[in-house]
Amino acid sequence: MSDDVRLRDVEEADLELFLEHEHDPENVRRSKFTPRDRERFMIHWTTRVLGDPTVLVQTVTVDGEPAGNVVAWWEEDRRFIGYVFGRPYWGRGIGTKALTLFLEREKARPLYADPFTGNAGSVRLLEKCGFRRVGKVQHGEHEHVMLALGED
């Protein structure tokens, strides 16, 4: 494998893979995100992600195979990013390459991310890509670190 990382528009078939990633027990443990059932997931993706022109979402491919996604969206007056990758792509530099490519397309700054504090890999990925810790936030019972890119 050459680990040729690229971004492309999301195709309908990608959604099944994204649903699998959302339900992966290790992804759930690391993100502290409660997975949605299939119907709610599909409605969310078709209306709030793909159906919203203010959202930028890309499928990440590795050697031509879908590996995950990166997405940017507005939450009130802040632009956030998030990403999910399949477990076979963890720890290989795929996230760093994908996020670097995505940040070339997503021009909004400041840009925010708020991974679970216990997700050291995600925090490290964001910091490698220039995000800085700017605080902490609570999502339910879980503490998340707030990171920002381009916030003065």
Side-chain angles (χ1 to χ4, degrees), residues 14-144:
D14 297 335
L15 298 183
E16 292 296 336
L17 180 66
F18 299 167
L19 177 64
E20 285 178 33
H21 292 166
E22 186 169 298
H23 281 262
D24 178 283
E26 189 60 17
N27 263 333
V28 171
R29 187 186 73 75
R30 290 179 183 216
S31 68
K32 299 300 181 203
F33 182 82
T34 303
R36 295 167 277 230
D37 66 41
R38 185 179 192 286
E39 182 179 356
R40 283 186 53 227
F41 176 90
M42 293 299 178
I43 290 169
H44 172 80
W45 267 84
T46 56
T47 61
R48 302 217 30 220
V49 180
L50 298 173
D52 183 341
T54 69
V55 171
L56 174 62
V57 61
Q58 296 282 275
T59 295
V60 176
T61 65
V62 177
D63 298 326
E65 294 298 317
N69 68 77
V70 184
V71 60
W73 70 95
W74 287 101
E75 204 167 290
E76 297 178 12
D77 61 343
R78 286 184 167 182
R79 186 82 165 163
F80 278 83
I81 66 159
Y83 42 82
V84 180
F85 300 100
R87 231 189 285 189
Y89 302 99
W90 295 1
R92 295 170 39 193
I94 305 296
T96 302
K97 291 175 187 174
L99 196 52
T100 298
L101 291 170
F102 188 82
L103 292 172
E104 291 172 4
R105 296 180 185 194
E106 174 55 60
K107 301 296 186 189
R109 301 293 185 272
L111 196 55
Y112 297 90
D114 59 350
F116 171 59
T117 53
N119 190 345
S122 188
V123 173
R124 194 169 41 253
L125 165 60
L126 289 158
E127 288 176 334
K128 274 192 222 174
C129 290
F131 284 76
R132 293 175 314 138
R133 295 173 191 235
V134 295
K136 294 188 178 182
V137 294
Q138 285 292 129
H139 292 296
E141 63 190 48
H142 303 290
E143 184 177 84
H144 292 243

